[in-house]
Amino acid sequence: MIKIAVLVSGNGSNLQALIDANLSGQIVGVISNKPAAYALERAAHANIATAVIEHKNFPDREAFDDVMHQQLLDWEADLVVLAGFMRILSAKFVKAWEGKMINIHPSLLPNYKGMHTHQRVLNTGDLWHGCTVHYVTAELDAGQALAQGVLKVSHHDNVESLADRVHQLEHLIFPQVVEWICNQTIQVTSEGVHYKNQILKGPIQFCHI
Ligand code: GRF
């Protein structure tokens, strides 16, 4: 059974969606860099081990990442899931978990890497928005996309409504992708990422009009 570790910094609604999904893998632990993250309560409520590793207690990014790395090894994690984890990871850490670490980002990557994606979508007047599950590589929000949830922006939308609608999509696609990794529907080989035994050329798309 795949052992999953989840990294969080905040509310943890995506963590909750993963817990509620009854995955065929096991969530073995949750790491937060913020002691007050509500995600920690969600984990505790589900009897999942937690670790608080505060980045501000470390001299540099690598020292912080080394402690996280050790915790992940202690939990024997096979898959690391970034679910609202608001720290940039060092190249060394990313390399150690290459092909085994995924993130969810609230935009249709490669559009709108970084922060404030909903506001930027509104500013541009885009018709489509959504979220992307992708492998994590050293470059921010740039690893191979596995799946996207797509929604149509309405002229009634504002930042709050988009955040809400994107979150709903996240809760749909993130557990699905994690389950596909757990049951090997998605696999990484030397040739690349496979989905249902075929090379994955672009992200699997889920549309919600
Ligand atoms: C999500 O919007 C996700 O895309 C981004 O951080 C947010 C986390 O939300 N990476 P939550 O903590 O899971 O509620």
Side-chain angles (χ1 to χ4, degrees), residues 93-128:
F93 182 91
V94 172
K95 186 81 194 150
W97 294 96
E98 197 176 337
K100 296 178 181 174
M101 181 158 60
I102 60 173
N103 180 45
I104 188 151
H105 180 77
S107 79
L108 297 175
L109 291 172
N111 297 336
Y112 308 111
K113 298 173 182 179
M115 306 282 283
H116 310 300
T117 57
H118 312 307
Q119 185 64 61
R120 289 156 68 199
V121 161
L122 290 170
N123 292 349
T124 312
D126 289 351
L127 194 56
W128 302 100

Side-chain angles (χ1 to χ4, degrees), residues 8-16 39 42 82-86 103-107 118 131-132 163 166-167 170-171:
V8 298
S9 300
N11 177 33
S13 67
N14 279 287
L15 169 66
Q16 190 67 55
R42 297 181 190 270
L82 308 184
F85 183 69
M86 301 303 283
N103 180 45
I104 188 151
H105 180 77
S107 79
H118 312 307
C131 49
T132 305
V166 168
H167 254 117
E170 291 182 349
H171 301 159

